[in-house]
Amino acid sequence: MKIDSNDLIEKVLIDEESLNKKIRKLANTLNEHYADKDELILVCILKGSVMFVSELAKYLNVECKMEFMSVSSYADNTYSSGNVKILMDLDMDIKDKEVLIIEDIIDTGYTLKKVKENLLQRGPKDLKIITLLDKPERREVDLKSDWVGFKIPNEFVVGFGLDYNQLYRNLPYIGVVKRSVYEDIEEMK
């Protein structure tokens, strides 16, 4: 079935060109920061961050390896439950390594805080966070990203890796979901 984003998207919040420009700028910042550091481990938080890490990595000129971690706190909801589960863990040891967590969006902060605490227990040399999107007005825990692509309002967004019910990750932009789409479904639960 063909995606008809008109039925879902209220408006485009960040277009494809703006995303690409910002990702290149973030990569340049990371290239400067990690220029004299040892090998960098990119920890991509699945599934939402896969498009961000793929684009970002294309512009990195420092030695790096990619690792993947799958965590869940949303279940089938449009909001974080605060109950974070690690569904898939890293394959490599990160002790004494430069580690960069790559996140698609920071909302309440519960998920990323749990991931950060978990990874810090493994003894990395340094642990930093980069997020494509940040929703500071939704933050419920004290957590800050070292680098942020875009600060966005408290809207439910999809596209460029972010999903609604596991769909719409492949949209090349970040779009705001029509409130009527998810309010009707939330009321049925």
Side-chain angles (χ1 to χ4, degrees):
M1 180 163 89
K2 186 176 178 193
I3 293 177
D4 186 1
S5 58
N6 292 328
D7 293 338
L8 181 84
I9 303 298
E10 179 180 313
K11 66 181 177 181
V12 173
L13 188 63
I14 306 167
D15 63 49
E16 184 176 9
E17 184 179 340
S18 298
L19 282 168
N20 290 331
K21 184 187 252 184
K22 180 63 78 170
I23 290 168
R24 283 191 298 276
K25 186 176 178 182
L26 289 168
N28 288 337
T29 300
L30 294 175
N31 286 332
E32 289 175 24
H33 179 79
Y34 289 104
D36 61 346
K37 311 268 188 203
D38 295 333
E39 175 183 270
L40 176 62
I41 309 296
L42 304 176
V43 177
C44 174
I45 307 300
L46 295 175
K47 299 177 185 168
S49 301
V50 74
M51 290 180 80
F52 180 36
V53 75
S54 296
E55 285 301 307
L56 185 68
K58 289 191 316 189
Y59 302 107
L60 293 179
N61 60 21
V62 296
E63 283 188 9
C64 60
K65 292 182 178 176
M66 283 191 202
E67 274 293 303
F68 299 91
M69 207 172 181
S70 181
V71 297
S72 176
S73 66
Y74 282 76
D76 291 329
N77 296 315
T78 57
Y79 54 89
S80 176
S81 67
N83 182 20
V84 179
K85 295 180 196 169
I86 295 177
L87 306 174
M88 183 180 89
D89 209 343
L90 305 179
D91 288 334
M92 76 174 53
D93 183 7
I94 61 169
K95 185 171 176 50
D96 299 324
K97 305 282 186 191
E98 299 283 341
V99 177
L100 178 62
I101 299 172
I102 315 255
E103 183 64 290
D104 55 352
I105 187 168
I106 303 176
D107 194 324
T108 62
Y110 285 116
T111 302
L112 195 53
K113 183 177 184 212
K114 174 84 171 186
V115 169
K116 182 179 178 181
E117 289 169 354
N118 181 289
L119 295 180
L120 282 172
Q121 291 175 2
R122 303 176 196 201
K125 182 187 243 179
D126 188 47
L127 180 70
K128 300 257 188 252
I129 298 169
I130 187 170
T131 187
L132 181 61
L133 305 175
D134 187 13
K135 263 194 229 183
E137 70 183 86
R138 288 268 300 143
R139 196 81 75 251
E140 294 180 13
V141 299
D142 184 25
L143 178 78
K144 291 191 169 122
S145 180
D146 297 282
W147 298 282
V148 175
F150 300 91
K151 286 189 179 180
I152 64 169
N154 186 18
E155 302 277 2
F156 182 44
V157 293
V158 296
F160 205 75
L162 291 103
D163 74 297
Y164 173 62
N165 202 22
Q166 299 298 324
L167 296 171
Y168 310 105
R169 292 184 194 279
N170 59 319
L171 295 175
Y173 58 84
I174 305 291
V176 175
V177 176
K178 292 178 182 174
R179 197 171 288 280
S180 61
V181 170
Y182 59 89
E183 283 179 344
D184 291 344
I185 291 174
E186 290 300 318
E187 286 175 11
M188 293 169 41
K189 288 185 178 178

